[in-house]
Amino acid sequence: MSFNDDEPIVATQDDSGEKPTSFLAGKTQARIFNKTKAPLEENVFKVMLELTGAGSSNDRPGVDLVTVLDVSRSMSGNKLAKLKIAMQFVIKKLSPIDRLSVVTFAGNSRRLCPLRQITETSQAEIEKMVNALVVDCNTNITAGLETGLKVLNDRNLTRGRAVGIMLMSDGKQNAGDDAADVWVGNVPVHTFGFGADHDPKVLKAITDNSMGGTFSDVQNQNNLSIAFSQCLAGLLTVVVQDLKLTITREEDESTIQKVSAGEYPVDDDDDNDDDDDDDDDDDDDDDDDDDDDASSVTISFGDLYDKEVRKVLVDLLLPAVRIRRGTDILRITYTYSTGGKLFEATPLIVTVSRTGTSVEPEREEVMIEKNRLLTAQMMKEARIMADNKKLDDARNKIVEAENSLEDVVDDSNLLIEMLKSELQQLFKLLKSQKIYEKQGRPFALSSETSHERQRFATRGDDAEKLRLFATPRMDNYLQQAKSFDEDPSKPLPTVDDDVKQELAANRLSVVVGALSYYIQTAIQSLKSIENILDKGR
């Protein structure tokens, strides 16, 4: 059966209002952090690149969203009631440029509706379908996932649209094939483990197979609306798609030793097999990509949300030189698409002064990111130890990670404080093997996917406490979802209301990205001219 019956997007009265001007440039802002000097002798030099979504949600792409919902027997009672409320939040927040399809699964899967344009009529009809959900036998996650993927893959309307799957399950798969083996492709699949009996390893594996997906651990049944809202806040603020970053060494001036970018596809011009991201789950090696002296490396990030950040840490080997001089050591380019149009940014050049001696301290921003990566790696090592029933070793590893953060120069940094909180929560969940397997493992795996993707994932009992990688829209939707869960009859602001509120708070948000980009390009051009003049003297 083909699912090519997706509804077209028909203009509505809501589309008639005038919208601010949209700019292709500047929807992603790039910043570079590095020391300005390096010694004459051979040395390892760190460069951190930071890409931030800087567009305005007023011209976001429409979203094609498929929710894949577990309706197995264990979902009966309060769980099903909470699912229906969470789905009402999702349905009400989507707008006429968005489309929604609902898929359910138990022993088999069922598509309740095709991708439907969100209108007052379709909202009411989809809400009625969701409120009529009943439970059935078995848990066939594979069937649900494959049906959700087919809904997206069979679409007629695809150009310029953002996509996503939100898959929720409260139990362990006991029917069908292993969902961890399903080929997902470039579709972001966000999974939600609901309650205390879900299978976090399978749900984490599904997101690992996708582009930019996350696994949220929702043990507290009252947090499902919040978890759904955080994912939706991202999907409704996609500013660029198919974001790719390429770093290229300057011949004879630098060698790329390592690129740390998280779990995203990495390609280098030497086609090394070492860059395969299919890591063994029990491998203690970190997620850094050893590029074996590649001359260039390209990282594919997929979608980027408004105000969301991607950091890339690059280790360069600078060769020994005999004389003091300024030199270019790295070239940075990035591309993205928006509205179906491709944009290629002007290359950025990293320069450094080679001096006799260098006592310049490492940049604080670089050190903080280095500590985040180290902390994430140590949490993963602790999780593997606990999986192997070595709880004492796991607790010691967490204490070691906590101690390492005490040496950070600015321990009042918000990110460092959240890392400490994350470590403290995980340590408590290592109290016993039983507690770990019920609560600790899901928490740890959710933390891993969040750090690997540099994207927010709900975890822990208090969704307001741990906000690593959360965006302003996510913070806004957190409060909206809490209020809605308490009383679903209360009016809920539309996504257009959210955008108007953001534009009112910052009227320059529409143009600031483009202005920053052109200013940065002008400064880069002046630096290039200065370097040419210096070399000619």
Side-chain angles (χ1 to χ4, degrees), residues 18-177:
E18 182 179 350
K19 293 185 177 181
T21 303
S22 174
F23 295 90
L24 187 61
K27 287 184 175 292
T28 297
Q29 290 184 344
R31 298 179 68 192
I32 303 171
F33 301 90
N34 60 273
K35 295 186 291 186
T36 59
K37 299 177 181 179
L40 296 178
E41 64 265 20
E42 182 181 77
N43 67 96
V44 175
F45 191 85
K46 292 185 180 295
V47 178
M48 189 179 81
L49 318 174
E50 183 180 275
L51 300 176
T52 303
S56 172
S57 300
N58 71 292
D59 61 342
R60 68 177 179 89
V63 177
D64 286 343
L65 173 63
V66 182
T67 55
V68 180
L69 311 174
D70 187 341
V71 291
S72 59
R73 189 163 292 170
S74 57
M75 279 292 296
S76 60
N78 187 58
K79 282 186 178 179
L80 189 62
K82 288 296 184 181
L83 171 61
K84 291 176 180 180
I85 293 174
M87 278 300 299
Q88 287 181 44
F89 183 92
V90 172
I91 296 166
K92 290 179 183 297
K93 294 302 291 187
L94 296 174
S95 79
I97 67 171
D98 305 311
R99 301 188 296 180
L100 174 65
S101 174
V102 180
V103 173
T104 61
F105 67 91
N108 290 298
S109 63
R110 181 186 173 201
R111 188 190 68 158
L112 299 187
C113 63
L115 279 169
R116 298 201 60 187
Q117 180 183 15
I118 297 301
T119 62
E120 287 186 10
T121 300
S122 65
Q123 277 183 328
E125 292 174 354
I126 297 173
E127 282 186 38
K128 185 176 180 180
M129 289 180 191
V130 169
N131 288 330
L133 290 177
V134 293
V135 299
D136 204 343
C137 299
N138 295 323
T139 304
N140 190 341
I141 299 176
T142 296
L145 177 58
E146 289 180 338
T147 300
L149 290 168
K150 186 172 177 57
V151 169
L152 293 177
N153 292 334
D154 287 359
R155 293 172 299 156
N156 285 312
L157 176 60
T158 61
R159 186 175 185 273
R161 299 194 60 78
V163 299
I165 290 178
M166 294 170 57
L167 186 152
M168 184 283 302
S169 178
D170 80 321
K172 294 178 171 55
Q173 52 187 357
N174 56 20
D177 297 327

Side-chain angles (χ1 to χ4, degrees), residues 282-307:
D282 292 329
D283 190 350
D284 286 346
D285 292 339
D286 61 25
D287 294 326
D288 297 335
D289 295 295
D290 188 349
D291 294 292
D292 290 343
D293 300 347
S295 61
S296 68
V297 175
T298 298
I299 306 147
S300 299
F301 289 113
D303 296 344
L304 188 67
Y305 306 152
D306 186 28
K307 306 300 186 295

Side-chain angles (χ1 to χ4, degrees), residues 110 149 232 327 338:
R110 181 186 173 201
L149 290 168
L232 187 66
T327 183
T338 178

Side-chain angles (χ1 to χ4, degrees), residues 147-423:
T147 300
L149 290 168
K150 186 172 177 57
V151 169
L152 293 177
N153 292 334
D154 287 359
R155 293 172 299 156
N156 285 312
L157 176 60
T158 61
R159 186 175 185 273
R161 299 194 60 78
V163 299
I165 290 178
M166 294 170 57
L167 186 152
M168 184 283 302
S169 178
D170 80 321
K172 294 178 171 55
Q173 52 187 357
N174 56 20
D177 297 327
D178 188 352
D181 297 331
V182 175
W183 186 82
V184 173
N186 290 329
V187 176
V189 181
H190 304 276
T191 61
F192 302 82
F194 189 31
D197 298 315
H198 62 271
D199 191 334
K201 287 188 175 181
V202 170
L203 296 178
K204 167 79 161 51
I206 293 170
T207 65
D208 287 347
N209 292 337
S210 76
M211 172 67 85
T214 54
F215 161 56
S216 292
D217 171 36
V218 194
Q219 303 247 348
N220 186 339
Q221 296 182 17
N222 294 322
N223 284 346
L224 187 60
S225 291
I226 291 175
F228 275 20
S229 78
Q230 301 301 276
C231 180
L232 187 66
L235 294 172
L236 293 180
T237 55
V238 171
V239 289
V240 299
Q241 298 173 277
D242 197 24
L243 173 63
K244 293 182 179 179
L245 172 73
T246 299
I247 53 177
T248 305
R249 70 181 179 92
E250 293 290 348
E251 190 172 358
D252 299 328
E253 299 293 352
S254 65
T255 301
I256 299 173
Q257 282 195 323
K258 183 190 293 184
V259 177
S260 303
E263 287 296 318
Y264 286 97
V266 176
D267 295 316
D268 64 64
D269 64 349
D270 294 328
D271 295 324
N272 291 322
D273 293 334
D274 293 337
D275 292 327
D276 194 341
D277 287 315
D278 296 328
D279 296 327
D280 188 330
D281 184 55
D282 292 329
D283 190 350
D284 286 346
D285 292 339
D286 61 25
D287 294 326
D288 297 335
D289 295 295
D290 188 349
D291 294 292
D292 290 343
D293 300 347
S295 61
S296 68
V297 175
T298 298
I299 306 147
S300 299
F301 289 113
D303 296 344
L304 188 67
Y305 306 152
D306 186 28
K307 306 300 186 295
E308 194 176 40
V309 179
R310 296 286 177 270
K311 296 179 181 179
V312 179
L313 199 58
V314 182
D315 283 8
L316 297 175
L317 181 65
L318 305 186
V321 296
R322 291 182 297 173
I323 60 173
R324 299 182 181 187
R325 58 186 172 85
T327 183
D328 298 342
I329 59 173
L330 196 67
R331 176 181 293 266
I332 300 159
T333 59
Y334 60 94
T335 63
Y336 57 77
S337 64
T338 178
K341 299 178 181 178
L342 180 67
F343 177 78
E344 183 172 351
T346 301
L348 300 173
I349 307 298
V350 179
T351 61
V352 66
S353 295
R354 304 299 299 270
T355 60
T357 59
S358 177
V359 293
E360 184 180 359
E362 190 62 83
R363 290 286 298 265
E364 181 180 324
E365 297 89 347
V366 174
M367 293 304 298
I368 289 174
E369 177 63 6
K370 182 180 177 182
N371 276 276
R372 182 191 71 81
L373 292 170
L374 177 61
T375 301
Q377 177 58 29
M378 295 175 84
M379 284 193 291
K380 181 176 181 177
E381 291 172 5
R383 191 265 302 168
I384 293 172
M385 291 171 182
D387 282 346
N388 292 325
K389 303 190 184 321
K390 298 178 181 179
L391 280 186
D392 287 341
D393 292 344
R395 286 191 288 263
N396 290 337
K397 180 60 68 173
I398 295 301
V399 171
E400 181 185 347
E402 289 178 321
N403 291 338
S404 69
L405 290 179
E406 296 300 327
D407 298 329
V408 177
V409 175
D410 183 10
D411 60 359
S412 64
N413 180 275
L414 182 59
L415 188 147
I416 297 298
E417 290 181 356
M418 283 192 283
L419 288 175
K420 291 179 178 178
S421 176
E422 192 171 24
L423 288 168

